[in-house]
Amino acid sequence: MSTLEIKNLHAQVLPSEEGQEPTPILKGVNLTINSGETHAVMGPNGSGKSTLAYTLSGHPRYEVTDGEVLLDGVNILELAVDERARAGLFLAMQYPTEVPGVSSSNFLRSAVTAVRGEAPKLREWVQELGGQRDALSIDKSFGDRSINEGFSGGEKKRHEVLQLGLLKPKFAVLDETDSGLDVDALRIVSDGINRYQEDTNGGILMITHYKRILNYVRPDFVHVFSDGQIIKTGGAELADALEAEGYEQFTTQNA
């Protein structure tokens, strides 16, 4: 059993130009996720949901000003980005980055080697990669292509979930993994997320605007995020209320 504890987390985004002041975004986030749990964070645009994801993973533009994030008792805010990944934290990005000149197959094997501490045996690796790839309907030819270069939106998201299935982290932060997916791709990606959790008993932090992915990846807890904080927590039924009535009922009360 593993635990990810976010305690009183405050963070600001650093300015892109000199002379500008940092902008506070996170204003005291508290959240605990245990192994096997799925937490959905829902909220309007600009509420700070993606900032939470990137702050957890160590994006350099987001500066923590207070609080801590404990993964099995270790404050990962004191770790470098790669050390957080090796400790068991995974981020599926809303907009996966293209990396020209680095093939997907080389990247995946290098990432698995870094996390596991040794390179997988070639024959076992070919079988493992092939199984994960086939389950996500990813063509074998993608292994020879540069990471995400020329991929469609759905292909990029399936590639993110392919990494999730291979790296098997303790906790997965999924930042709007459902955005840009058609109905078929949504089902395939959701199946991959569920398969990861069944295989590893991993914890999931699902950041999303819409309920549709939650029809496939059922949350244990739903949190409403507004102005850099969690303002309401409930069960899966809370997502139904948000779908039917919107966020204003909660954000107005919070204001």
Side-chain angles (χ1 to χ4, degrees):
M1 176 70 71
S2 291
T3 303
L4 181 67
E5 300 174 89
I6 304 171
K7 296 184 175 183
N8 192 36
L9 184 63
H10 291 71
Q12 59 189 12
V13 59
L14 299 177
S16 56
E17 299 180 7
E18 291 186 10
Q20 297 178 336
E21 293 296 321
T23 303
I25 304 293
L26 302 183
K27 302 174 182 179
V29 180
N30 292 283
L31 179 61
T32 297
I33 305 172
N34 296 306
S35 293
E37 294 180 349
T38 298
H39 292 246
V41 171
M42 305 180 71
N45 285 326
S47 59
K49 303 184 305 299
S50 291
T51 296
L52 174 60
Y54 290 121
T55 299
L56 292 175
S57 65
H59 193 293
R61 281 204 66 199
Y62 299 96
E63 180 181 59
V64 174
T65 56
D66 198 6
E68 57 184 0
V69 179
L70 305 178
L71 200 168
D72 292 339
V74 176
N75 187 4
I76 63 170
L77 299 181
E78 299 174 353
L79 303 179
V81 174
D82 61 311
E83 293 172 328
R84 299 183 195 198
R86 283 196 289 268
L89 186 69
F90 175 89
L91 171 66
M93 294 180 285
Q94 181 180 358
Y95 302 108
T97 303
E98 296 184 6
V99 187
V102 179
S103 72
S104 296
S105 59
N106 285 339
F107 163 73
L108 290 170
R109 193 159 193 259
S110 296
V112 166
T113 298
V115 168
R116 298 181 187 177
E118 62 180 5
K121 295 180 179 179
L122 186 57
R123 179 174 295 182
E124 295 175 358
W125 168 246
V126 170
Q127 293 178 341
E128 182 181 6
L129 176 60
Q132 293 281 352
R133 186 179 56 220
D134 292 346
L136 291 164
S137 300
I138 297 175
D139 191 88
K140 185 178 180 180
S141 64
F142 276 69
D144 297 325
R145 295 170 61 180
S146 294
I147 301 169
N148 292 321
E149 191 173 33
F151 289 18
S152 69
E155 289 166 346
K156 289 180 179 180
K157 296 304 176 70
R158 278 185 282 161
H159 196 260
E160 293 283 282
V161 177
L162 174 62
Q163 296 169 46
L164 175 64
L166 291 169
L167 295 174
K168 297 177 172 56
K170 294 177 181 178
F171 294 97
V173 180
L174 310 178
D175 186 21
E176 298 195 33
T177 300
D178 54 334
S179 65
L181 298 181
D182 60 28
V183 174
D184 291 331
L186 178 63
R187 177 184 53 79
I188 291 170
V189 164
S190 298
D191 287 347
I193 295 169
N194 288 329
R195 193 162 47 249
Y196 148 74
Q197 192 169 55
E198 291 168 3
D199 291 344
T200 66
N201 195 38
I204 294 174
L205 177 58
M206 173 82 69
I207 294 171
T208 182
H209 282 297
Y210 306 109
K211 177 179 176 287
R212 63 178 194 150
I213 194 170
L214 303 182
N215 293 327
Y216 298 93
V217 182
R218 296 294 294 173
D220 300 295
F221 303 94
V222 174
H223 310 279
V224 181
F225 209 81
S226 176
D227 193 26
Q229 295 176 312
I230 292 173
I231 60 171
K232 177 75 174 178
T233 294
E237 72 281 354
L238 181 53
D240 296 325
L242 292 169
E243 183 85 355
E245 303 174 34
Y247 297 111
E248 187 174 357
Q249 57 179 318
F250 301 107
T251 57
T252 301
Q253 292 174 11
N254 188 58

